[in-house]
Amino acid sequence: MSTVTPDLIVDGAIPRHPVISPDGRRVAYTVAAYTREEQHPSSAIWVAATDASSPPRKLTEGSAGDSDPRWAPDSASLFFGSDRLTRGTTQLYRIPVGGGQAQALTTWKSGVSNCLPLADGRRVAVVAADEPTDEDERRKAERDDAKVWGERVPYGRLRLLDLDTGRLRVVDGLGDRHVVELAQRPDGGPLAVLTRATPDLDPVVPAGELHLVDPETGKVRDLGPAELDPSALTWWKTDGSWHLCYLATTPPGPVGGRAVFDLTVPENGAAEKQHNLTSGMAVCPSGLAQVADGPPLALFADRLDTAIHRLDPKTRRFQPMSRLDGYGGLMTASGSGDVVAVVASTAYEPKNVHAGPPTGRLARLSDTRPELRGITWGTQERLSYQASDGLDLDGLLILPVARTRQDGPFPLITLVHGGPYDRYADQFLLGTSPSAQWLAAAGYAVFLPNPRGGEGRGHAFAASVAGAVGMDEWTDIVSGIDLLVADGVADPDRLGIGGWSHGGFMAAWAVGQTSRFKAAVMGAGISDWGMLLATGEWGIWDAGLGGSCGWEGAGPHRHDQVSPISYASKISTPVLILHGEDDPNVPVGQATYFHRALRRFGVEHEFVVYPREGHPILERNHQLDVLRRTRAWFDRWLADPAPDHA
């Protein structure tokens, strides 16, 4: 029997970007290292038979960043992005599925950020910023590079690549709009194009717009604004009319559950009013899959599990087809819709590509973590309980390895998920920020709650934290802890709490509300919601959570009431603060502010900053440090008390 080690955790690989061939016979996907040892990570493209009749086959060497495979219309070759020519700059390549060398299709100086092979087989739509001019090169060489907001913006522009001539032709009608996503109508008709005003998320006015582009003439027709945070453009047809649907946040936003929005797209004229196809559902759509011309398939987060639905074109409502235990994501479908593939995970099985009919059981195709077999994991239980106001909640409990409830009470560590629009599905929980099974291997029971604000219970559940983070979601977490104490699972004198991102916020919030925790880990957490609006990349989303912006007038402001920094004088719990130095999502100033407050009030703590890291920690040595340091911190404060020999 093997044992789990930090090296074992970080040295694995994970599957990404699955896409089924139009004929439904194969699925291509990327396999990427879990960790990054060099500046530019490497990954490989794999191909597997969707009926599992043959083992997966590695199609590219993986010595560079090969990713985002896209099938040619005839299912005989794959297009993909790779930085094998110049590390850090992605170009477009094509490779025969039957074997052979990859052919470079572009040498664009600015690189290519997206691609979509067109139905005619002769062209590929690509997204690429303008190449640098001689003036740009001079300014860079001479460091004459003052940054002026709104000037010299590297918009990703839509271009059409002719595969015969290699010529790239820009589509002019989109102006200075950054292209985010593309989807061609399945009959070879126009492209649906999603754009936004800037390449990065606009933290103040994040409006997306929808367009139609005729690939023959380049003519652009505007369809109007999209709802907030749109993605997953998907075509479908019913009664002779084409529709376009996509995922976005339920209005009025910006805090709430995801929904599927649909609009009828006539051959000429303006699109009809958009409709929310998932209004009132007690589940949350997490993915859409386009089929040739029938109604789309959708993936739904459903409490601790995942479900596949199909849109009923008559009722315009989604109907369940099958259910997946635990986590399912990144769904893709064949042209007929008879075969789907997802990345799935259950309680003791890591993420892998699964495929099969959408109405039946999916077979596992990939096997990216065979080294984890033979390890004994902590027993993972599903929890159902009620909040203090009677609301039904769920979560997970992982017991210490080789222990049962009867062996309790145990030291209990509560790990809060990020988001807050996220969830713990009943999936394999071995990661780095922090890791539930890694802590269970050290003798801890681990509680993984799904409080209000999360995914999987519909829009109202998700929207309930708008302007009220740290309120009801905090009491939801406390109710779960109290239940585990009452059941004899948790030792009330040895409680810890931690998390990353929003989970880091909740850890910082918790220690300002109570002294019952003996240790806390604040990973990439928020200490001040007003400062996060001012400096973080999500802007108004963060203001929606915190409840105010700060520019409404003289305070106090709502966000002051829900910011952990406001309660720093009450903290007595030892806190481990972990943060990436270059985090654009939750800038490191959030951690620095909390650190300074804890210093001011003499609270025991450690403050650790990881150079070159963003919001997730990616470098191998840093990931190892997070694992070791997190467990050592909890060991220091939650260890078994010394026996009384008096």
Side-chain angles (χ1 to χ4, degrees):
M1 180 183 70
S2 303
T3 58
V4 61
T5 65
D7 299 79
L8 185 72
I9 294 172
V10 307
D11 286 341
I14 54 175
R16 297 172 177 164
H17 314 135
V19 57
I20 286 184
S21 58
D23 63 13
R25 295 175 55 198
R26 301 180 181 91
V27 57
Y29 56 95
T30 302
V31 174
Y34 187 77
T35 189
R36 185 178 72 194
E37 293 195 64
E38 299 178 355
Q39 180 182 1
H40 302 293
S42 297
S43 52
I45 306 293
W46 287 66
V47 174
T50 53
D51 62 1
S53 59
S54 59
R57 179 166 52 91
K58 192 175 182 180
L59 195 62
T60 70
E61 183 180 350
S63 57
D66 300 341
S67 64
D68 296 304
R70 299 285 187 271
W71 286 96
D74 62 3
S75 301
S77 61
L78 276 168
F79 297 87
F80 65 97
S82 178
D83 64 354
R84 59 180 66 184
L85 182 63
T86 302
R87 293 291 265 159
T89 301
T90 299
Q91 303 294 345
L92 182 63
Y93 287 76
R94 185 177 191 174
I95 189 170
V97 177
Q101 295 297 313
Q103 174 192 5
L105 301 178
T106 64
T107 55
W108 196 253
K109 290 183 180 179
S110 298
V112 171
S113 59
N114 197 356
C115 81
L116 177 68
L118 300 188
D120 60 17
R122 299 181 291 103
R123 292 169 298 175
V124 179
V126 300
V127 179
D130 293 339
E131 292 189 295
T133 64
D134 291 342
E135 175 65 7
D136 294 330
E137 299 286 7
R138 181 199 66 77
R139 287 167 57 91
K140 180 179 179 181
E142 297 179 7
R143 305 182 73 171
D144 179 17
D145 53 359
K147 295 181 179 179
V148 180
W149 188 87
E151 291 185 4
R152 313 182 81 83
V153 178
Y155 299 106
R157 303 191 190 279
L158 176 60
R159 305 170 195 273
L160 297 177
L161 172 66
D162 186 305
L163 293 174
D164 293 329
T165 65
R167 180 173 175 266
L168 274 172
R169 176 172 61 89
V170 69
V171 174
D172 294 318
L174 295 169
D176 286 341
R177 298 285 300 178
H178 178 75
V179 176
V180 180
E181 195 173 308
L182 309 167
Q184 187 175 25
R185 209 169 68 183
D187 65 351
L191 304 178
V193 181
L194 171 64
T195 68
R196 61 185 181 216
T198 60
D200 299 319
L201 287 171
D202 188 325
V204 180
V205 188
E209 294 185 4
L210 297 168
H211 318 265
L212 287 185
V213 175
D214 186 322
E216 299 298 331
T217 65
K219 183 179 178 181
V220 175
R221 178 153 58 105
D222 294 332
L223 298 180
E227 298 294 346
L228 193 63
D229 195 21
S231 65
L233 298 179
T234 305
W235 288 93
W236 66 285
K237 188 178 184 181
T238 182
D239 297 329
S241 298
W242 283 101
H243 292 246
L244 182 65
C245 60
Y246 63 96
L247 296 176
T249 302
T250 304
V255 178
R258 302 285 274 173
V260 179
F261 294 91
D262 179 73
L263 63 159
T264 304
V265 184
E267 291 296 333
N268 296 290
E272 295 183 5
K273 181 181 177 181
Q274 300 184 42
H275 298 278
N276 182 346
L277 301 181
T278 50
S279 177
M281 294 183 71
V283 291
C284 295
S286 59
L288 289 170
Q290 180 172 294
V291 299
D293 56 8
L297 300 172
L299 209 57
F300 282 82
D302 187 353
R303 302 195 178 197
L304 296 171
D305 296 312
T306 307
I308 298 176
H309 290 226
R310 187 190 298 275
L311 181 66
D312 183 331
K314 293 183 178 180
T315 64
R316 304 291 172 88
R317 303 295 290 176
F318 282 95
Q319 302 297 329
M321 301 185 72
S322 61
R323 193 171 183 86
L324 308 176
D325 291 338
Y327 169 83
L330 305 174
M331 184 170 66
T332 174
S334 63
S336 66
D338 294 335
V339 184
V340 298
V342 299
V343 173
S345 171
T346 54
Y348 307 108
E349 288 288 333
K351 290 180 178 179
N352 270 300
V353 177
H354 294 65
T359 54
R361 185 175 180 83
L362 305 184
R364 178 174 62 80
L365 304 183
S366 66
D367 187 14
T368 55
R369 303 280 332 243
E371 70 276 12
L372 298 181
R373 294 196 182 91
I375 295 176
T376 300
W377 305 105
T379 299
Q380 186 161 304
E381 299 181 8
R382 296 178 174 224
L383 296 178
S384 296
Y385 64 99
Q386 286 191 327
S388 57
D389 62 0
L391 180 68
D392 290 333
L393 299 169
D394 60 50
L396 300 169
L397 171 68
I398 300 180
L399 295 172
V401 172
R403 308 293 291 275
T404 68
R405 280 181 173 243
Q406 287 67 39
D407 297 320
F410 307 105
L412 177 77
I413 297 172
T414 299
L415 297 181
V416 186
H417 64 64
Y421 190 66
D422 200 348
R423 64 168 177 148
Y424 285 119
D426 190 11
Q427 67 189 84
F428 186 58
L429 294 161
L430 186 71
T432 61
S433 56
S435 173
Q437 285 287 359
W438 168 241
L439 293 171
Y444 295 102
V446 182
F447 173 43
L448 303 129
N450 283 323
R452 263 167 271 215
E455 182 186 27
R457 287 177 175 263
H459 168 65
F461 185 83
S464 63
V465 297
V469 285
M471 299 299 180
D472 287 342
E473 62 174 324
W474 165 237
T475 60
D476 291 349
I477 293 168
V478 170
S479 295
I481 295 171
D482 290 342
L483 172 67
L484 295 173
V485 170
D487 285 351
V489 174
D491 182 343
D493 295 322
R494 291 188 290 161
L495 300 177
I497 190 167
W500 204 266
S501 192
H502 192 78
F505 155 73
M506 287 304 302
W509 177 261
V511 297
Q513 307 303 308
T514 179
S515 60
R516 71 188 296 190
F517 296 104
K518 298 302 184 288
V521 174
M522 176 191 183
I526 299 97
S527 62
D528 186 287
W529 287 100
M531 186 168 70
L532 188 61
L533 166 65
T535 59
E537 64 184 347
W538 285 93
I540 65 164
W541 284 273
D542 297 322
L545 291 168
S548 58
C549 299
W551 52 49
E552 302 91 348
H557 301 287
R558 173 59 182 168
H559 67 253
D560 295 323
Q561 300 175 41
V562 294
S563 292
I565 200 68
S566 300
Y567 306 91
S569 63
K570 300 180 179 181
I571 298 174
S572 59
T573 301
V575 182
L576 172 62
I577 305 171
L578 308 172
H579 219 105
E581 189 172 40
D582 300 327
D583 187 342
N585 187 320
V586 182
V588 71
Q590 294 284 328
T592 303
Y593 197 6
F594 207 63
H595 155 65
R596 290 180 179 178
L598 297 185
R599 284 192 65 200
R600 169 64 180 82
F601 295 110
V603 181
E604 184 86 30
H605 71 287
E606 286 185 7
F607 180 31
V608 183
V609 176
Y610 296 100
R612 300 173 301 281
E613 298 285 10
H615 197 53
I617 303 301
L618 299 178
E619 292 187 20
R620 184 177 188 275
N621 286 336
H622 293 163
Q623 290 181 337
L624 292 172
D625 186 81
V626 168
L627 287 167
R628 291 167 177 151
R629 193 178 297 273
T630 298
R631 199 159 90 172
W633 186 255
F634 285 125
D635 287 347
R636 177 179 173 184
W637 302 104
L638 303 183
D640 289 327
D644 185 358
H645 298 294

